């Protein structure tokens, strides 16, 4: 008898033929957040307040009160996050389709270039060179930019200077190409945003946000452990919290990959 796809998947997970890799930073008060110009509202760090821990406030239970911005820690961007996606249907995390929450991914390794230049920009030429080795980027897949940035912490991770944040990201042309020529489902990074730190100064400011969300695509940022994944075919599980009219949310991102 032919096994069902779900049975094959269940068996692979049960036997360890598939490994599960956590791509998520711990959501904590000291994790860096995006810093905007002072005239704008800021993404505040997570706040954890203890309500009870087996004490007078709750003798048999432990729980906390959490306060955080939607775009804090490892988080998901829905189209409504940016003005270009504001009028699209099903553009918030509570109304978006379920399919994008479980999709395969291509990992573009820019770690060496980003180590040499924190302002490194992923180009169309980089993507074409990747395809020469690994084959065409399939439609409907995530493209994740590996920089190994997750290995940094604190001020080094945010890398803020007087003129802004110095972190790698994609060029406008690369994002346009990925959307128009490869029809990706979304773009992800290991840095605080899907855009480069200085992308506010580009001719099209914040092109990843502008173009991805205007096209109904999604974003993932503050990812970890992309160096532990194969360059193509990993299944990404990224289900955001179902927040009413939410523009995004922190989430636990998991990758399913063949056992090494």
């Amino acid at each position: 008898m032919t096994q069902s796809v779900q049975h094959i998947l269940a068996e692979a997970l049960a036997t360890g033929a598939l490994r599960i890799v956590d791509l998520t930073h711990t959501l904590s008060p000291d994790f860096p957040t995006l810093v905007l110009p002072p005239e704008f509202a800021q993404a505040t760090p997570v706040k954890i307040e203890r309500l009870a821990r087996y004490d007078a406030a709750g003798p048999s239970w432990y729980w906390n009160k959490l306060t955080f911005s939607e775009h804090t820690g490892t988080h998901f961007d829905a189209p409504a996050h940016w003005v270009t996606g504001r009028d699209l249907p099903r553009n918030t995390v509570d109304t978006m389709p379920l399919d994008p929450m479980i999709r395969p991914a291509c990992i573009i390794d820019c770690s060496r270039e980003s180590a040499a230049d924190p302002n490194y920009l992923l180009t169309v030429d980089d993507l074409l060179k990747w395809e020469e080795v690994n084959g065409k980027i399939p439609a409907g897949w995530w493209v994740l930019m590996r920089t190994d940035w997750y290995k940094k912490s604190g001020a080094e991770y945010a890398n803020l200077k007087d003129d802004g944040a110095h972190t790698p990201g994609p060029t406008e042309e690369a994002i346009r190409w990925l959307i128009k020529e490869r029809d990706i489902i979304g773009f992800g990074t290991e840095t605080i945003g899907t855009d480069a730190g200085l992308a506010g100064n580009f001719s099209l400011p914040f092109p990843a946000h502008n173009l991805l969300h205007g096209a109904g695509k999604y974003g993932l940022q503050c990812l970890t452990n992309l160096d532990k994944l194969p360059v193509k075919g990993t299944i990404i599980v990224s289900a955001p919290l179902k927040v009413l009219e939410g523009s995004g949310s922190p989430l636990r991102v998991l990758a399913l990959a063949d056992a090494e």
Side-chain angles (χ1 to χ4, degrees), residues 103-122:
R103 285 292 179 96
C106 295
I107 314 295
I108 313 298
D109 185 0
C110 304
S111 57
R112 184 177 60 181
E113 295 87 347
S114 299
D117 178 9
N119 297 311
Y120 180 75
L121 297 177
L122 174 69

Side-chain angles (χ1 to χ4, degrees), residues 178-260:
L178 286 169
I179 293 170
K180 293 184 177 182
E181 301 299 328
R182 295 297 181 263
D183 192 24
I184 63 170
I185 195 67
F187 183 78
T189 65
E190 293 179 303
T191 54
I192 288 179
T194 49
D195 276 294
L198 297 177
N201 301 322
F202 290 4
S203 56
L204 174 66
F206 307 108
H209 285 79
N210 261 297
L211 298 172
L212 286 169
H213 302 320
K217 310 297 186 180
Y218 306 94
L220 284 170
Q221 44 267 295
C222 303
L223 296 170
T224 70
N225 293 326
L226 295 184
D227 57 326
K228 296 176 174 60
L229 301 177
V231 297
K232 194 174 185 181
T234 295
I235 304 299
I236 303 296
V237 181
S238 56
L241 297 174
K242 197 173 181 179
V243 180
L244 178 65
E245 298 184 349
S247 71
S249 88
L251 76 172
R252 190 78 176 258
V253 184
L254 303 176
L256 305 180
D258 290 339
E260 295 177 323

Side-chain angles (χ1 to χ4, degrees), residues 6-7 37 57 68 77 85 92 118 121 161 180 186 194 197 226 233-234 239 259:
Q6 66 182 26
H7 185 91
F68 50 79
D77 287 351
T92 54
L121 297 177
K161 310 295 182 184
K180 293 184 177 182
T194 49
L226 295 184
T234 295

